[in-house]
Amino acid sequence: MKIGIIGAGNIGGNLTRRLTALGHDVSVANSRGPETLEDLARETGATPVRAEEAARGAQVVVVTVPLKAVPDLPAGLLDGAAEGVAVIDTNNYYPQQRDGRIAAIEDEGLTESRWTERHLGHPVIKAFNGTYAQDILDRGRPAGDPERMALPVAGDDEDAKRTVRDLIGELGFDTVDAGGIDDSWRQQPGTPVYTLRAGTEAVLKALAEASPDRPADFRG
């Protein structure tokens, strides 16, 4: 598939490494310009581009930037993407640690991904937000392996969700349907499933045990 990755930090960089290794055609962008991505491009064979070019022709777009940076992404970010593009949101809201207070999340009760979706103007699939970046490189396992981890995936677009779940399966992880974007609070920071390294049954249990009350450490 043609995949655009917007954000080349820990998650974005390691997804670039794994997805190119699987044979996907990856374009990668960051906020500093393609010239700063030359080392990653040489390492992986990915194409460094500007953010506004990353989605062109892409069947999957990964948005993996600090949440506070989402409103600053270029207008029309997804213009030129393939029809039915699946947009993966890996982001988390860290009001005390990084992002500052976001009123729509704090006061209106929007999930982090619903807020992101509104800024992008396109449905998103929430995935990888509670995954350690190094695990993307190191913890993939063949289907049926008893040590294969499961990742929660939330979203409203069932076709896009299926595409994302299949892609995660290629990377060596099982997936659990965590519901729609309004249910994605179950995998936000501070919930039992966040950073959980476990299989399907444990992930299902952790999602069921989540509380809708945002922990104090993750409130602005």
Side-chain angles (χ1 to χ4, degrees):
M1 287 192 296
K2 185 166 176 50
I3 299 174
I5 298 179
I6 300 166
N10 294 333
I11 295 286
N14 285 352
L15 283 173
T16 299
R17 292 177 176 93
R18 288 296 319 282
L19 292 169
T20 52
L22 288 168
H24 295 287
D25 178 5
V26 177
S27 295
V28 61
N30 64 9
S31 62
R32 295 177 293 142
E35 64 279 1
T36 67
L37 295 169
E38 290 177 358
D39 288 345
L40 182 62
R42 277 193 295 270
E43 176 190 346
T44 64
T47 303
V49 296
R50 295 180 301 160
E52 53 267 37
E53 300 169 335
R56 283 185 191 161
Q59 296 152 286
V60 174
V61 173
V62 182
V63 178
T64 180
V65 300
L67 199 71
K68 66 180 180 180
V70 168
D72 298 325
L73 291 170
L77 184 71
L78 300 171
D79 292 353
E83 185 176 355
V85 60
V87 179
I88 300 175
D89 167 33
T90 77
N91 302 334
N92 292 307
Y93 176 46
Y94 300 119
Q96 298 176 30
Q97 301 90 340
R98 182 190 65 195
D99 298 313
R101 190 178 193 277
I102 297 175
I105 293 175
E106 299 278 1
D107 302 333
E108 297 175 35
L110 292 184
T111 60
E112 300 160 5
S113 287
R114 183 67 78 193
W115 182 84
T116 297
E117 184 177 274
R118 289 187 179 182
H119 280 283
L120 296 177
H122 192 282
V124 303
I125 305 299
K126 191 175 189 76
F128 298 112
N129 71 292
T131 308
Y132 289 107
Q134 193 64 30
D135 288 354
I136 294 171
L137 293 183
D138 298 343
R139 294 222 170 206
R141 298 288 187 274
D145 189 304
E147 294 187 0
R148 184 159 152 128
M149 288 169 48
L151 308 183
V153 180
D156 300 330
D157 183 328
E158 292 301 324
D159 288 340
K161 188 188 284 184
R162 190 174 306 110
T163 296
V164 173
R165 294 181 72 180
D166 287 348
L167 189 63
I168 293 172
E170 276 189 66
L171 289 166
F173 303 94
D174 288 332
T175 56
V176 171
D177 191 332
I181 285 299
D182 288 336
D183 302 311
S184 63
W185 55 267
R186 293 184 181 276
Q187 65 194 78
Q188 291 177 169
T191 60
V193 82
Y194 181 71
T195 70
L196 180 67
R197 290 166 158 158
T200 299
E201 288 188 13
V203 168
L204 283 166
K205 182 174 184 288
L207 288 167
E209 291 174 349
S211 167
D213 297 325
R214 190 178 294 276
D217 287 349
F218 299 103
R219 290 200 301 265

